[in-house]
Amino acid sequence: PLQYEDLVCFRDRNPGAPHHYLVVPVEHMGNCKTLKAEHIPLVKRMMEVGKAVLQKNNFSDLNDVRMGFHWPPFCSISHLHLHVLAPASQLGFLSRLYYRINSYWFIT
């Protein structure tokens, strides 16, 4: 795991893409439903860490990345975590469903 100030990043244990990381606040937070306007800087920082980890792992095409949150009740963990998947163009069939942009269960 990589630690960035108040965030931690690690590989997803069940990857949906060649690069699949979770960016998680160290301090406990609920899920994406509990986010408010004051959390915008945190979410932006989570996305920046996701991009930095991809670049650190030699993935540079930041136009081929999917980032987002699973919408409750479709998340197995009640702690905020951002999915970072790349390359998005290589998501398998199930992953394309599971991480579908702005669906009922996954929001970008």
Side-chain angles (χ1 to χ4, degrees):
L2 292 166
Q3 179 108 26
Y4 291 83
E5 299 162 33
D6 54 345
L7 299 172
V8 176
C9 181
F10 51 90
R11 283 190 172 278
D12 191 290
R13 65 186 165 97
N14 190 10
H19 294 272
H20 188 170
Y21 305 99
L22 299 177
V23 180
V24 183
V26 172
E27 185 180 315
H28 179 74
M29 291 193 69
N31 53 50
C32 57
K33 264 189 176 172
T34 63
L35 290 173
K36 296 178 172 50
E38 71 217 40
H39 296 115
I40 290 171
L42 170 68
V43 172
K44 285 183 174 174
R45 211 162 54 254
M46 291 171 80
M47 292 173 71
E48 289 306 313
V49 164
K51 289 175 189 172
V53 167
L54 287 171
Q55 290 172 320
K56 199 172 259 191
N57 285 282
N58 301 316
F59 186 83
S60 57
D61 184 2
L62 297 180
N63 295 317
D64 196 12
V65 175
R66 180 154 315 157
M67 293 191 201
F69 301 98
H70 278 116
W71 194 253
F74 303 101
C75 47
S76 53
I77 305 165
S78 64
H79 183 95
L80 189 68
H81 58 287
L82 176 71
H83 288 267
V84 178
L85 298 110
S89 59
Q90 288 183 30
L91 290 174
F93 177 74
L94 285 176
S95 291
R96 280 199 310 269
L97 286 175
Y98 205 61
Y99 303 101
R100 196 169 101 215
I101 296 172
N102 298 327
S103 56
Y104 288 114
W105 53 89
F106 189 73
I107 59 165
T108 53

